[in-house]
Amino acid sequence: MTGTNRRMSCGTVFALTVFALLLISSKGSAAGGACPSGANYLNASTNSLVTLSSLGVTSCYFISAAGADTNDGTRESTPWLHLPGTPECTGTCASTTPVGGTGFILRGGDTWHFGNSSVSPYTGGMWTWKWNGSSGSPIYIGVDQTWYSGSSWARPVMNGDNPLSTSAVASCRHQVGTINSFLNASAVSYVTFDNFEFTGKCEGNSAAKFGYDIYILDQSAQYTNFEHLYFHGWTHIAWRCSRGVG
């Protein structure tokens, strides 16, 4: 009887230990906070404006140029500084795994720097998004037009930090990562990128046949939407185009 009781006690301790570990794990991957409730988001299938919750996005994190990656990110008053998937994302930002049904809301009017490491907030280079949503629970990365810096709402700015020019330049001051692209979203499904401004990029490869701000070349990606994006201020060094014969 004593031996049986001892075995039952050990089993009970083991079960309690597993339960405690599960609680710790669930706290480490806690859900975000309440999402914006306005009907300001595009339902691409009906071409109408709806709420995030009606799209299946029910948990949100917030990011601003005044934030800190050690914040919980679950409210506009406690935002992260960086975007998940950027090299400089640390702390809670880095330990949070994006999942379907989650939104990531950037404060309007703020600027994130992709080329100049001496300016804050600096992303560390190219933003790589590698997480998928699902049909009923997509991932939304965009804005709340009632949350902004300045006197009125404007898109969040992704800046490559090169001077704007209307003609070819002698050289580029900054490149963005190894492939000079703001965003690599090459193999993701059921993700929406909404209402960003991309500017200040410079193409410095004279042998380049094409350039891109967003890298999307993987045919496995499905149902990924890019909405209301504004691209401008893209400069390049001078080069001569030639056509081969053969």
Side-chain angles (χ1 to χ4, degrees):
M1 180 65 71
T2 302
T4 302
N5 287 341
R6 184 176 293 121
R7 286 194 295 272
M8 289 176 65
S9 177
C10 290
T12 302
V13 171
F14 176 75
L16 289 173
T17 302
V18 171
F19 181 68
L21 290 173
L22 288 173
L23 284 178
I24 293 171
S25 176
S26 66
K27 288 182 179 179
S29 58
C35 293
S37 58
N40 301 313
Y41 304 93
L42 180 65
N43 183 328
S45 63
T46 62
N47 197 31
S48 59
L49 294 179
V50 298
T51 63
L52 282 177
S53 61
S54 73
L55 295 174
V57 178
T58 57
S59 174
C60 284
Y61 293 96
F62 299 85
I63 304 105
S64 90
D69 288 346
T70 53
N71 287 340
D72 60 23
T74 60
R75 293 158 291 171
E76 292 178 350
S77 60
T78 58
W80 296 332
L81 180 62
H82 294 101
L83 299 141
T86 58
E88 288 293 305
C89 167
T90 60
T92 311
C93 171
S95 64
T96 301
T97 301
V99 296
T102 307
F104 297 86
I105 309 298
L106 281 73
R107 188 169 71 169
D110 285 355
T111 298
W112 281 264
H113 298 274
F114 283 70
N116 187 355
S117 61
S118 66
V119 186
S120 181
Y122 173 58
T123 65
M126 184 177 65
W127 175 21
T128 301
W129 190 267
K130 57 185 178 181
W131 300 279
N132 298 309
S134 63
S135 177
S137 298
I139 293 174
Y140 173 83
I141 309 164
V143 301
D144 170 8
Q145 294 193 24
T146 67
W147 186 43
Y148 52 84
S149 59
S151 59
S152 61
W153 185 83
R155 290 181 177 92
V157 180
M158 312 287 117
N159 195 340
D161 300 306
N162 290 285
L164 307 188
S165 175
T166 58
S167 59
V169 297
S171 62
C172 296
R173 293 187 186 178
H174 305 286
Q175 298 284 273
V176 180
T178 56
I179 62 173
N180 199 29
S181 178
F182 285 109
L183 170 62
N184 182 350
S186 61
V188 297
S189 300
Y190 295 101
V191 181
T192 291
F193 298 90
D194 180 31
N195 257 312
F196 298 118
E197 176 181 341
F198 294 90
T199 190
K201 181 180 174 181
C202 184
E203 179 54 67
N205 183 1
S206 62
K209 297 180 181 179
F210 60 88
Y212 33 75
D213 288 285
I214 298 177
Y215 181 77
I216 322 165
L217 296 178
D218 195 319
Q219 298 301 312
S220 65
Q222 301 180 72
Y223 305 105
T224 297
N225 299 318
F226 298 89
E227 305 168 352
H228 311 116
L229 304 183
Y230 176 35
F231 299 88
H232 71 106
W234 186 350
T235 58
H236 61 84
I237 66 171
W239 69 79
R240 179 180 298 173
C241 296
S242 61
R243 178 178 298 175
V245 178

